[in-house]
């Protein structure tokens, strides 16, 4: 244990070095929120919204069958409490979840066309829930949200990435760098659902 502070400092220094390397060699901007025009395929994602929304609505007829985020990934327990943040997973760190994909073939077909796909799931946030500030470990991936079900009071349901506040719109994409501190708040009586995708940063 006496070596832990030294090891921690070395780890932090290494991660900073990796982040600096990724910044220098990134083919896209390193801003907190990225312009959709940097990704030519985003239009295909937005065009698929009606089919994806239809498959989502079928799943939501039985929300009790959809697990909470921390039930799938226990290391998320700090930011996922109770049944307030549920996820229906299609692809996780290189693993295809075939049973789930079979239930949503159009969604699966769409995410398979995203370059460098790493993770993809429906992210379902309960009314009144707040995901506290946190940040991802690496700039090697970039995150996308496609708005699927957005509360009518959009201004009370938002994501903050660094110092930028974004609100979702159904059928529209937001792309951001999750290594910046970010948090989500849904101060409405309605749930919010997005298609959540991580993909490789173009280098």
């Amino acid at each position: 244990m006496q070596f832990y502070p030294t090891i921690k400092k070395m780890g932090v220094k290494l991660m900073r070095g990796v982040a600096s390397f990724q910044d220098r060699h990134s083919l896209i901007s390193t801003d907190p929120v990225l312009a959709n025009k940097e990704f030519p395929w985003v239009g295909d994602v937005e065009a698929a919204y009606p089919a994806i929304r239809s498959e989502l609505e079928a799943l939501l007829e039985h929300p009790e069958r959809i697990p909470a985020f921390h039930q799938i990934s226990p290391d998320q327990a700090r930011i996922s409490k109770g049944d307030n943040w549920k996820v229906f997973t299609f692809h996780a760190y290189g693993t295809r979840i075939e049973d789930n994909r079979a239930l949503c073939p159009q969604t699966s077909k769409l995410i398979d066309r995203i370059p460098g796909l790493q993770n993809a799931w429906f992210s379902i946030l309960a009314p009144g829930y707040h995901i506290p500030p946190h940040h991802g470990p690496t700039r090697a991936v970039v995150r996308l949200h496609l708005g699927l079900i957005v509360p009518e009071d959009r201004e009370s349901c938002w994501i903050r990435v660094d110092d930028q506040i974004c609100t979702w719109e159904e059928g529209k994409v937001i792309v951001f760098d999750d290594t910046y501190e970010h948090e989500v708040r849904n101060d409405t009586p309605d749930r919010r659902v997005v298609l959540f995708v991580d993909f490789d940063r173009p280098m």
Side-chain angles (χ1 to χ4, degrees):
M1 292 297 292
Q2 62 181 329
F3 298 110
Y4 178 74
T6 301
I7 294 171
K8 183 177 180 181
K9 287 180 182 178
M10 291 173 62
V12 169
K13 186 174 182 180
L14 175 63
M15 291 300 290
R16 286 176 178 166
V18 170
S20 177
F21 175 86
Q22 291 166 338
D23 284 352
R24 292 196 307 272
H25 295 278
S26 178
L27 295 176
I28 58 174
S29 69
T30 56
D31 296 332
V33 179
L34 291 80
N36 290 357
K37 66 183 180 182
E38 296 200 56
F39 311 95
W41 45 266
V42 158
D44 294 336
V45 176
E46 293 182 338
Y49 160 73
I52 296 172
R53 170 72 182 253
S54 178
E55 292 180 339
L56 167 67
E57 288 176 344
L59 292 175
L60 291 178
E61 292 178 6
H62 299 282
E64 71 281 357
R65 299 177 183 174
I66 302 175
F69 196 9
H70 59 272
Q71 291 176 308
I72 292 177
S73 181
D75 59 335
Q76 304 297 332
R78 184 182 75 83
I79 59 176
S80 172
K81 305 293 185 183
D83 285 332
N84 291 297
W85 186 5
K86 290 173 170 278
V87 295
F88 187 85
T89 307
F90 303 104
H91 199 97
Y93 303 104
T95 300
R96 293 159 57 100
I97 314 301
E98 298 295 352
D99 289 347
N100 289 356
R101 290 170 61 91
L103 293 172
C104 300
Q106 295 304 312
T107 302
S108 299
K109 185 182 298 184
L110 179 278
I111 63 174
D112 285 345
R113 296 200 299 266
I114 295 177
L117 177 68
Q118 291 292 331
N119 301 301
W121 50 70
F122 290 146
S123 173
I124 305 163
L125 199 67
Y129 193 62
H130 173 223
I131 300 175
H134 60 290
H135 57 81
T138 174
R139 280 201 174 145
V141 296
V142 181
R143 182 157 296 165
L144 173 152
H145 284 180
L146 169 66
L148 295 175
I149 297 177
V150 178
E152 184 175 347
D153 182 8
R154 288 177 49 208
E155 298 305 312
S156 296
C157 183
W158 48 259
I159 179 169
R160 175 184 64 81
V161 185
D162 195 33
D163 61 352
Q164 299 188 41
I165 302 291
C166 300
T167 58
W168 296 275
E169 184 177 348
E170 292 180 1
K172 300 299 181 182
V173 158
I174 297 171
V175 185
F176 63 98
D177 180 341
D178 86 319
T179 61
Y180 288 94
E181 182 184 80
H182 56 287
E183 65 177 314
V184 176
R185 185 176 288 278
N186 180 12
D187 291 329
T188 80
D190 305 306
R191 64 186 161 198
R192 181 237 60 181
V193 187
V194 300
L195 176 64
F196 174 119
V197 176
D198 287 335
F199 60 94
D200 291 337
R201 174 181 290 274
M203 301 289 284

